[in-house]
mmCIF file of all heavy atoms in Angstrom:
data_model
loop_
_atom_site.group_PDB
_atom_site.id
_atom_site.type_symbol
_atom_site.label_atom_id
_atom_site.label_comp_id
_atom_site.label_asym_id
_atom_site.label_seq_id
_atom_site.Cartn_x
_atom_site.Cartn_y
_atom_site.Cartn_z
ATOM 1 N N GLU Z 1 0.854 -1.181 0.000
ATOM 2 C CA GLU Z 1 0.000 0.000 0.000
ATOM 3 C C GLU Z 1 0.892 1.234 0.000
ATOM 4 O O GLU Z 1 1.993 1.233 0.526
ATOM 5 C CB GLU Z 1 -0.918 0.018 1.227
ATOM 6 C CG GLU Z 1 -0.208 0.207 2.551
ATOM 7 C CD GLU Z 1 -1.181 0.337 3.725
ATOM 8 O OE1 GLU Z 1 -2.390 0.307 3.472
ATOM 9 O OE2 GLU Z 1 -0.695 0.455 4.856
ATOM 10 N N LEU Z 2 0.359 2.258 -0.713
ATOM 11 C CA LEU Z 2 1.116 3.501 -0.802
ATOM 12 C C LEU Z 2 1.104 4.235 0.526
ATOM 13 O O LEU Z 2 0.110 4.203 1.257
ATOM 14 C CB LEU Z 2 0.528 4.398 -1.885
ATOM 15 C CG LEU Z 2 0.601 3.879 -3.332
ATOM 16 C CD1 LEU Z 2 -0.117 4.853 -4.271
ATOM 17 C CD2 LEU Z 2 2.044 3.678 -3.763
ATOM 18 N N VAL Z 3 2.200 4.916 0.795
ATOM 19 C CA VAL Z 3 2.274 5.805 1.963
ATOM 20 C C VAL Z 3 2.163 7.205 1.410
ATOM 21 O O VAL Z 3 3.091 7.712 0.764
ATOM 22 C CB VAL Z 3 3.587 5.608 2.735
ATOM 23 C CG1 VAL Z 3 3.673 6.604 3.887
ATOM 24 C CG2 VAL Z 3 3.699 4.164 3.238
ATOM 25 N N VAL Z 4 0.961 7.830 1.669
ATOM 26 C CA VAL Z 4 0.678 9.141 1.077
ATOM 27 C C VAL Z 4 0.282 10.097 2.187
ATOM 28 O O VAL Z 4 -0.633 9.817 2.966
ATOM 29 C CB VAL Z 4 -0.457 9.055 0.049
ATOM 30 C CG1 VAL Z 4 -0.675 10.421 -0.612
ATOM 31 C CG2 VAL Z 4 -0.164 7.981 -0.991
ATOM 32 N N LEU Z 5 0.979 11.217 2.272
ATOM 33 C CA LEU Z 5 0.585 12.267 3.203
ATOM 34 C C LEU Z 5 -0.525 13.084 2.564
ATOM 35 O O LEU Z 5 -0.616 13.177 1.330
ATOM 36 C CB LEU Z 5 1.789 13.148 3.543
ATOM 37 C CG LEU Z 5 2.959 12.427 4.244
ATOM 38 C CD1 LEU Z 5 4.101 13.413 4.476
ATOM 39 C CD2 LEU Z 5 2.506 11.798 5.549
ATOM 40 N N GLU Z 6 -1.346 13.696 3.367
ATOM 41 C CA GLU Z 6 -2.514 14.422 2.878
ATOM 42 C C GLU Z 6 -2.087 15.488 1.874
ATOM 43 O O GLU Z 6 -1.310 16.388 2.183
ATOM 44 C CB GLU Z 6 -3.276 15.072 4.051
ATOM 45 C CG GLU Z 6 -4.597 15.690 3.664
ATOM 46 C CD GLU Z 6 -5.617 14.663 3.206
ATOM 47 O OE1 GLU Z 6 -5.568 13.494 3.677
ATOM 48 O OE2 GLU Z 6 -6.435 14.996 2.338
ATOM 49 N N GLY Z 7 -2.646 15.335 0.674
ATOM 50 C CA GLY Z 7 -2.408 16.351 -0.357
ATOM 51 C C GLY Z 7 -1.048 16.316 -0.999
ATOM 52 O O GLY Z 7 -0.673 17.250 -1.722
ATOM 53 N N GLU Z 8 -0.274 15.268 -0.757
ATOM 54 C CA GLU Z 8 1.064 15.191 -1.343
ATOM 55 C C GLU Z 8 1.204 13.908 -2.172
ATOM 56 O O GLU Z 8 0.362 13.012 -2.137
ATOM 57 C CB GLU Z 8 2.122 15.213 -0.241
ATOM 58 C CG GLU Z 8 2.152 16.528 0.543
ATOM 59 C CD GLU Z 8 3.264 16.536 1.572
ATOM 60 O OE1 GLU Z 8 4.075 15.569 1.546
ATOM 61 O OE2 GLU Z 8 3.331 17.473 2.357
ATOM 62 N N GLU Z 9 2.293 13.855 -2.923
ATOM 63 C CA GLU Z 9 2.592 12.679 -3.741
ATOM 64 C C GLU Z 9 3.036 11.532 -2.838
ATOM 65 O O GLU Z 9 3.585 11.755 -1.755
ATOM 66 C CB GLU Z 9 3.704 12.996 -4.749
ATOM 67 C CG GLU Z 9 3.313 14.007 -5.813
ATOM 68 C CD GLU Z 9 2.253 13.446 -6.752
ATOM 69 O OE1 GLU Z 9 2.302 12.223 -7.042
ATOM 70 O OE2 GLU Z 9 1.377 14.210 -7.186
ATOM 71 N N PRO Z 10 2.842 10.265 -3.276
ATOM 72 C CA PRO Z 10 3.316 9.120 -2.477
ATOM 73 C C PRO Z 10 4.817 9.224 -2.251
ATOM 74 O O PRO Z 10 5.574 9.591 -3.152
ATOM 75 C CB PRO Z 10 2.961 7.912 -3.343
ATOM 76 C CG PRO Z 10 1.852 8.392 -4.232
ATOM 77 C CD PRO Z 10 2.131 9.831 -4.496
ATOM 78 N N GLU Z 11 5.220 8.892 -1.032
ATOM 79 C CA GLU Z 11 6.644 8.983 -0.726
ATOM 80 C C GLU Z 11 7.279 7.613 -0.505
ATOM 81 O O GLU Z 11 8.494 7.479 -0.507
ATOM 82 C CB GLU Z 11 6.889 9.833 0.513
ATOM 83 C CG GLU Z 11 6.272 9.287 1.773
ATOM 84 C CD GLU Z 11 6.609 10.120 2.999
ATOM 85 O OE1 GLU Z 11 6.913 11.317 2.830
ATOM 86 O OE2 GLU Z 11 6.589 9.543 4.087
ATOM 87 N N ASP Z 12 6.433 6.569 -0.335
ATOM 88 C CA ASP Z 12 6.959 5.214 -0.162
ATOM 89 C C ASP Z 12 5.791 4.248 -0.228
ATOM 90 O O ASP Z 12 4.638 4.647 -0.433
ATOM 91 C CB ASP Z 12 7.699 5.083 1.168
ATOM 92 C CG ASP Z 12 8.734 3.960 1.177
ATOM 93 O OD1 ASP Z 12 8.631 3.066 0.290
ATOM 94 O OD2 ASP Z 12 9.644 3.972 2.019
ATOM 95 N N TYR Z 13 6.091 2.971 -0.099
ATOM 96 C CA TYR Z 13 5.024 1.979 0.009
ATOM 97 C C TYR Z 13 5.452 0.941 1.036
ATOM 98 O O TYR Z 13 6.624 0.706 1.278
ATOM 99 C CB TYR Z 13 4.694 1.335 -1.342
ATOM 100 C CG TYR Z 13 5.882 0.709 -2.065
ATOM 101 C CD1 TYR Z 13 6.256 -0.613 -1.804
ATOM 102 C CD2 TYR Z 13 6.604 1.433 -3.008
ATOM 103 C CE1 TYR Z 13 7.330 -1.175 -2.467
ATOM 104 C CE2 TYR Z 13 7.665 0.880 -3.668
ATOM 105 C CZ TYR Z 13 8.045 -0.436 -3.409
ATOM 106 O OH TYR Z 13 9.110 -0.995 -4.052
ATOM 107 N N ARG Z 14 4.384 0.353 1.642
ATOM 108 C CA ARG Z 14 4.616 -0.587 2.738
ATOM 109 C C ARG Z 14 4.258 -1.980 2.259
ATOM 110 O O ARG Z 14 3.284 -2.183 1.522
ATOM 111 C CB ARG Z 14 3.747 -0.211 3.936
ATOM 112 C CG ARG Z 14 4.113 -0.962 5.232
ATOM 113 C CD ARG Z 14 3.136 -0.614 6.347
ATOM 114 N NE ARG Z 14 2.983 0.823 6.458
ATOM 115 C CZ ARG Z 14 3.832 1.622 7.108
ATOM 116 N NH1 ARG Z 14 4.898 1.122 7.679
ATOM 117 N NH2 ARG Z 14 3.602 2.918 7.185
ATOM 118 N N ILE Z 15 5.052 -2.973 2.664
ATOM 119 C CA ILE Z 15 4.806 -4.369 2.280
ATOM 120 C C ILE Z 15 3.787 -4.950 3.256
ATOM 121 O O ILE Z 15 4.039 -5.024 4.463
ATOM 122 C CB ILE Z 15 6.105 -5.189 2.315
ATOM 123 C CG1 ILE Z 15 7.145 -4.569 1.370
ATOM 124 C CG2 ILE Z 15 5.849 -6.652 1.944
ATOM 125 C CD1 ILE Z 15 8.508 -5.177 1.486
ATOM 126 N N LEU Z 16 2.650 -5.361 2.688
ATOM 127 C CA LEU Z 16 1.574 -5.900 3.518
ATOM 128 C C LEU Z 16 1.618 -7.409 3.608
ATOM 129 O O LEU Z 16 1.262 -7.985 4.646
ATOM 130 C CB LEU Z 16 0.220 -5.459 2.962
ATOM 131 C CG LEU Z 16 -0.004 -3.940 2.878
ATOM 132 C CD1 LEU Z 16 -1.378 -3.664 2.286
ATOM 133 C CD2 LEU Z 16 0.146 -3.286 4.247
ATOM 134 N N ALA Z 17 2.015 -8.077 2.500
ATOM 135 C CA ALA Z 17 2.028 -9.549 2.503
ATOM 136 C C ALA Z 17 2.988 -10.028 1.435
ATOM 137 O O ALA Z 17 3.272 -9.322 0.461
ATOM 138 C CB ALA Z 17 0.631 -10.099 2.242
ATOM 139 N N ALA Z 18 3.484 -11.302 1.561
ATOM 140 C CA ALA Z 18 4.378 -11.923 0.579
ATOM 141 C C ALA Z 18 4.226 -13.425 0.684
ATOM 142 O O ALA Z 18 4.027 -13.960 1.775
ATOM 143 C CB ALA Z 18 5.817 -11.522 0.819
ATOM 144 N N ASN Z 19 4.264 -14.097 -0.456
ATOM 145 C CA ASN Z 19 4.132 -15.559 -0.417
ATOM 146 C C ASN Z 19 5.502 -16.214 -0.263
ATOM 147 O O ASN Z 19 6.546 -15.548 -0.376
ATOM 148 C CB ASN Z 19 3.395 -16.073 -1.659
ATOM 149 C CG ASN Z 19 4.216 -15.910 -2.928
ATOM 150 O OD1 ASN Z 19 5.261 -15.257 -2.914
ATOM 151 N ND2 ASN Z 19 3.740 -16.488 -4.015
ATOM 152 N N PRO Z 20 5.548 -17.507 0.003
ATOM 153 C CA PRO Z 20 6.845 -18.182 0.193
ATOM 154 C C PRO Z 20 7.772 -18.080 -1.026
ATOM 155 O O PRO Z 20 8.996 -18.040 -0.881
ATOM 156 C CB PRO Z 20 6.445 -19.628 0.473
ATOM 157 C CG PRO Z 20 5.063 -19.539 1.028
ATOM 158 C CD PRO Z 20 4.409 -18.408 0.303
ATOM 159 N N SER Z 21 7.176 -18.062 -2.203
ATOM 160 C CA SER Z 21 8.022 -17.994 -3.399
ATOM 161 C C SER Z 21 8.799 -16.683 -3.466
ATOM 162 O O SER Z 21 9.898 -16.632 -4.023
ATOM 163 C CB SER Z 21 7.152 -18.145 -4.654
ATOM 164 O OG SER Z 21 6.584 -19.426 -4.716
ATOM 165 N N LEU Z 22 8.209 -15.593 -2.933
ATOM 166 C CA LEU Z 22 8.922 -14.319 -2.911
ATOM 167 C C LEU Z 22 10.190 -14.456 -2.082
ATOM 168 O O LEU Z 22 11.250 -13.923 -2.436
ATOM 169 C CB LEU Z 22 8.023 -13.236 -2.331
ATOM 170 C CG LEU Z 22 8.657 -11.834 -2.291
ATOM 171 C CD1 LEU Z 22 8.803 -11.287 -3.696
ATOM 172 C CD2 LEU Z 22 7.813 -10.892 -1.442
ATOM 173 N N GLU Z 23 10.057 -15.174 -0.980
ATOM 174 C CA GLU Z 23 11.216 -15.390 -0.124
ATOM 175 C C GLU Z 23 12.307 -16.130 -0.891
ATOM 176 O O GLU Z 23 13.496 -15.807 -0.807
ATOM 177 C CB GLU Z 23 10.777 -16.195 1.109
ATOM 178 C CG GLU Z 23 11.857 -16.395 2.151
ATOM 179 C CD GLU Z 23 11.302 -17.119 3.372
ATOM 180 O OE1 GLU Z 23 10.899 -18.298 3.212
ATOM 181 O OE2 GLU Z 23 11.269 -16.512 4.451
ATOM 182 N N ARG Z 24 11.871 -17.138 -1.659
ATOM 183 C CA ARG Z 24 12.841 -17.911 -2.444
ATOM 184 C C ARG Z 24 13.426 -17.071 -3.565
ATOM 185 O O ARG Z 24 14.635 -17.113 -3.824
ATOM 186 C CB ARG Z 24 12.136 -19.143 -3.025
ATOM 187 C CG ARG Z 24 12.967 -19.928 -4.006
ATOM 188 C CD ARG Z 24 12.186 -21.143 -4.496
ATOM 189 N NE ARG Z 24 10.874 -20.789 -4.984
ATOM 190 C CZ ARG Z 24 10.630 -20.312 -6.205
ATOM 191 N NH1 ARG Z 24 11.633 -20.095 -7.044
ATOM 192 N NH2 ARG Z 24 9.399 -20.037 -6.572
ATOM 193 N N ILE Z 25 12.597 -16.287 -4.246
ATOM 194 C CA ILE Z 25 13.063 -15.525 -5.407
ATOM 195 C C ILE Z 25 13.982 -14.390 -4.989
ATOM 196 O O ILE Z 25 15.039 -14.180 -5.579
ATOM 197 C CB ILE Z 25 11.853 -14.985 -6.189
ATOM 198 C CG1 ILE Z 25 11.095 -16.161 -6.833
ATOM 199 C CG2 ILE Z 25 12.302 -13.995 -7.261
ATOM 200 C CD1 ILE Z 25 9.776 -15.757 -7.454
ATOM 201 N N LEU Z 26 13.561 -13.647 -3.970
ATOM 202 C CA LEU Z 26 14.354 -12.485 -3.570
ATOM 203 C C LEU Z 26 15.472 -12.836 -2.608
ATOM 204 O O LEU Z 26 16.387 -12.028 -2.404
ATOM 205 C CB LEU Z 26 13.447 -11.436 -2.917
ATOM 206 C CG LEU Z 26 12.333 -10.862 -3.806
ATOM 207 C CD1 LEU Z 26 11.573 -9.788 -3.040
ATOM 208 C CD2 LEU Z 26 12.908 -10.287 -5.098
ATOM 209 N N GLY Z 27 15.357 -14.020 -2.005
ATOM 210 C CA GLY Z 27 16.390 -14.386 -1.041
ATOM 211 C C GLY Z 27 16.277 -13.581 0.240
ATOM 212 O O GLY Z 27 17.283 -13.340 0.911
ATOM 213 N N ILE Z 28 15.045 -13.144 0.555
ATOM 214 C CA ILE Z 28 14.815 -12.318 1.747
ATOM 215 C C ILE Z 28 13.777 -13.028 2.629
ATOM 216 O O ILE Z 28 12.771 -13.532 2.131
ATOM 217 C CB ILE Z 28 14.288 -10.922 1.340
ATOM 218 C CG1 ILE Z 28 15.328 -10.206 0.474
ATOM 219 C CG2 ILE Z 28 13.970 -10.086 2.568
ATOM 220 C CD1 ILE Z 28 14.827 -8.878 -0.079
ATOM 221 N N ASP Z 29 14.011 -13.028 3.909
ATOM 222 C CA ASP Z 29 13.044 -13.612 4.842
ATOM 223 C C ASP Z 29 11.767 -12.779 4.793
ATOM 224 O O ASP Z 29 11.757 -11.595 5.138
ATOM 225 C CB ASP Z 29 13.628 -13.617 6.259
ATOM 226 C CG ASP Z 29 12.673 -14.219 7.290
ATOM 227 O OD1 ASP Z 29 11.635 -14.774 6.858
ATOM 228 O OD2 ASP Z 29 12.965 -14.107 8.478
ATOM 229 N N ARG Z 30 10.693 -13.409 4.358
ATOM 230 C CA ARG Z 30 9.472 -12.631 4.135
ATOM 231 C C ARG Z 30 8.890 -12.109 5.443
ATOM 232 O O ARG Z 30 8.262 -11.052 5.471
ATOM 233 C CB ARG Z 30 8.423 -13.466 3.392
ATOM 234 C CG ARG Z 30 7.937 -14.693 4.124
ATOM 235 C CD ARG Z 30 7.092 -15.557 3.202
ATOM 236 N NE ARG Z 30 6.559 -16.707 3.883
ATOM 237 C CZ ARG Z 30 5.335 -16.777 4.425
ATOM 238 N NH1 ARG Z 30 4.523 -15.749 4.329
ATOM 239 N NH2 ARG Z 30 4.925 -17.865 5.031
ATOM 240 N N GLN Z 31 9.111 -12.806 6.509
ATOM 241 C CA GLN Z 31 8.575 -12.343 7.786
ATOM 242 C C GLN Z 31 9.263 -11.062 8.253
ATOM 243 O O GLN Z 31 8.667 -10.219 8.916
ATOM 244 C CB GLN Z 31 8.743 -13.439 8.854
ATOM 245 C CG GLN Z 31 7.983 -14.715 8.548
ATOM 246 C CD GLN Z 31 6.468 -14.482 8.470
ATOM 247 O OE1 GLN Z 31 5.913 -13.594 9.157
ATOM 248 N NE2 GLN Z 31 5.785 -15.275 7.638
ATOM 249 N N SER Z 32 10.538 -10.924 7.825
ATOM 250 C CA SER Z 32 11.295 -9.760 8.283
ATOM 251 C C SER Z 32 10.942 -8.494 7.520
ATOM 252 O O SER Z 32 11.292 -7.387 7.942
ATOM 253 C CB SER Z 32 12.798 -10.040 8.147
ATOM 254 O OG SER Z 32 13.163 -10.168 6.787
ATOM 255 N N ILE Z 33 10.256 -8.652 6.367
ATOM 256 C CA ILE Z 33 9.970 -7.452 5.578
ATOM 257 C C ILE Z 33 8.500 -7.054 5.633
ATOM 258 O O ILE Z 33 8.151 -5.936 5.250
ATOM 259 C CB ILE Z 33 10.387 -7.646 4.107
ATOM 260 C CG1 ILE Z 33 9.591 -8.800 3.463
ATOM 261 C CG2 ILE Z 33 11.894 -7.893 4.003
ATOM 262 C CD1 ILE Z 33 9.838 -8.942 1.966
ATOM 263 N N ILE Z 34 7.639 -7.943 6.071
ATOM 264 C CA ILE Z 34 6.210 -7.609 6.125
ATOM 265 C C ILE Z 34 6.003 -6.499 7.147
ATOM 266 O O ILE Z 34 6.465 -6.559 8.278
ATOM 267 C CB ILE Z 34 5.368 -8.844 6.470
ATOM 268 C CG1 ILE Z 34 5.445 -9.864 5.321
ATOM 269 C CG2 ILE Z 34 3.916 -8.460 6.754
ATOM 270 C CD1 ILE Z 34 4.736 -11.181 5.605
ATOM 271 N N GLY Z 35 5.303 -5.466 6.709
ATOM 272 C CA GLY Z 35 5.012 -4.315 7.545
ATOM 273 C C GLY Z 35 6.057 -3.221 7.432
ATOM 274 O O GLY Z 35 5.869 -2.125 7.973
ATOM 275 N N LYS Z 36 7.136 -3.461 6.720
ATOM 276 C CA LYS Z 36 8.183 -2.455 6.605
ATOM 277 C C LYS Z 36 8.004 -1.630 5.333
ATOM 278 O O LYS Z 36 7.387 -2.064 4.355
ATOM 279 C CB LYS Z 36 9.557 -3.117 6.567
ATOM 280 C CG LYS Z 36 10.000 -3.693 7.920
ATOM 281 C CD LYS Z 36 11.434 -4.204 7.822
ATOM 282 C CE LYS Z 36 11.921 -4.693 9.183
ATOM 283 N NZ LYS Z 36 13.320 -5.157 9.127
ATOM 284 N N LEU Z 37 8.562 -0.420 5.387
ATOM 285 C CA LEU Z 37 8.629 0.388 4.181
ATOM 286 C C LEU Z 37 9.672 -0.217 3.237
ATOM 287 O O LEU Z 37 10.609 -0.899 3.652
ATOM 288 C CB LEU Z 37 9.001 1.828 4.520
ATOM 289 C CG LEU Z 37 7.996 2.600 5.393
ATOM 290 C CD1 LEU Z 37 8.551 3.982 5.733
ATOM 291 C CD2 LEU Z 37 6.656 2.717 4.684
ATOM 292 N N SER Z 38 9.515 0.057 1.936
ATOM 293 C CA SER Z 38 10.394 -0.571 0.941
ATOM 294 C C SER Z 38 11.859 -0.185 1.138
ATOM 295 O O SER Z 38 12.763 -0.983 0.895
ATOM 296 C CB SER Z 38 9.941 -0.189 -0.465
ATOM 297 O OG SER Z 38 10.111 1.216 -0.674
ATOM 298 N N ARG Z 39 12.093 1.095 1.565
ATOM 299 C CA ARG Z 39 13.480 1.513 1.785
ATOM 300 C C ARG Z 39 14.165 0.596 2.793
ATOM 301 O O ARG Z 39 15.314 0.180 2.612
ATOM 302 C CB ARG Z 39 13.530 2.947 2.298
ATOM 303 C CG ARG Z 39 13.204 4.025 1.275
ATOM 304 C CD ARG Z 39 13.464 5.386 1.902
ATOM 305 N NE ARG Z 39 13.182 6.492 1.003
ATOM 306 C CZ ARG Z 39 12.012 7.115 0.939
ATOM 307 N NH1 ARG Z 39 11.018 6.704 1.735
ATOM 308 N NH2 ARG Z 39 11.845 8.112 0.092
ATOM 309 N N ASP Z 40 13.426 0.293 3.881
ATOM 310 C CA ASP Z 40 13.995 -0.530 4.940
ATOM 311 C C ASP Z 40 14.077 -1.996 4.521
ATOM 312 O O ASP Z 40 15.034 -2.700 4.842
ATOM 313 C CB ASP Z 40 13.148 -0.399 6.206
ATOM 314 C CG ASP Z 40 13.082 1.041 6.713
ATOM 315 O OD1 ASP Z 40 14.097 1.768 6.496
ATOM 316 O OD2 ASP Z 40 12.067 1.419 7.288
ATOM 317 N N ALA Z 41 13.069 -2.470 3.766
ATOM 318 C CA ALA Z 41 13.025 -3.886 3.389
ATOM 319 C C ALA Z 41 14.142 -4.233 2.411
ATOM 320 O O ALA Z 41 14.789 -5.283 2.524
ATOM 321 C CB ALA Z 41 11.672 -4.219 2.773
ATOM 322 N N TYR Z 42 14.361 -3.332 1.427
ATOM 323 C CA TYR Z 42 15.340 -3.650 0.377
ATOM 324 C C TYR Z 42 16.673 -2.945 0.557
ATOM 325 O O TYR Z 42 17.590 -3.147 -0.226
ATOM 326 C CB TYR Z 42 14.750 -3.287 -0.993
ATOM 327 C CG TYR Z 42 13.452 -4.020 -1.282
ATOM 328 C CD1 TYR Z 42 12.275 -3.326 -1.545
ATOM 329 C CD2 TYR Z 42 13.420 -5.416 -1.295
ATOM 330 C CE1 TYR Z 42 11.098 -3.989 -1.814
ATOM 331 C CE2 TYR Z 42 12.239 -6.093 -1.561
ATOM 332 C CZ TYR Z 42 11.081 -5.375 -1.826
ATOM 333 O OH TYR Z 42 9.927 -6.041 -2.079
ATOM 334 N N GLY Z 43 16.778 -2.109 1.586
ATOM 335 C CA GLY Z 43 18.037 -1.434 1.863
ATOM 336 C C GLY Z 43 18.442 -0.456 0.789
ATOM 337 O O GLY Z 43 19.626 -0.369 0.427
ATOM 338 N N THR Z 44 17.470 0.311 0.241
ATOM 339 C CA THR Z 44 17.770 1.289 -0.806
ATOM 340 C C THR Z 44 17.496 2.691 -0.306
ATOM 341 O O THR Z 44 16.734 2.894 0.642
ATOM 342 C CB THR Z 44 16.906 1.017 -2.053
ATOM 343 O OG1 THR Z 44 15.519 1.099 -1.694
ATOM 344 C CG2 THR Z 44 17.210 -0.364 -2.621
ATOM 345 N N ASP Z 45 18.098 3.684 -0.986
ATOM 346 C CA ASP Z 45 17.881 5.083 -0.608
ATOM 347 C C ASP Z 45 16.519 5.576 -1.065
ATOM 348 O O ASP Z 45 15.919 6.446 -0.416
ATOM 349 C CB ASP Z 45 18.968 5.969 -1.212
ATOM 350 C CG ASP Z 45 20.341 5.653 -0.629
ATOM 351 O OD1 ASP Z 45 20.394 5.161 0.508
ATOM 352 O OD2 ASP Z 45 21.354 5.879 -1.342
#
């Protein structure tokens, strides 16, 4: 889901759910990224 402040453009998105295959494909523990913003989940600026 998008993270949008009132009246502004989206600034990030939050991971709500992921299936087991995502964990296998991305090589990331899906439990550790659920509920996090994408910057924190993927370690990007």
Side-chain angles (χ1 to χ4, degrees):
E1 67 175 358
L2 296 176
V3 176
V4 183
L5 298 178
E6 188 66 30
E8 295 183 7
E9 293 293 325
E11 62 177 24
D12 204 342
Y13 55 87
R14 191 184 310 278
I15 302 171
L16 301 179
N19 69 350
S21 294
L22 182 70
E23 185 176 65
R24 172 179 52 82
I25 292 171
L26 299 183
I28 298 174
D29 180 9
R30 63 190 183 96
Q31 298 298 329
S32 66
I33 62 173
I34 293 175
K36 288 186 176 182
L37 297 176
S38 65
R39 287 187 180 92
D40 300 329
Y42 301 122
T44 59
D45 294 334

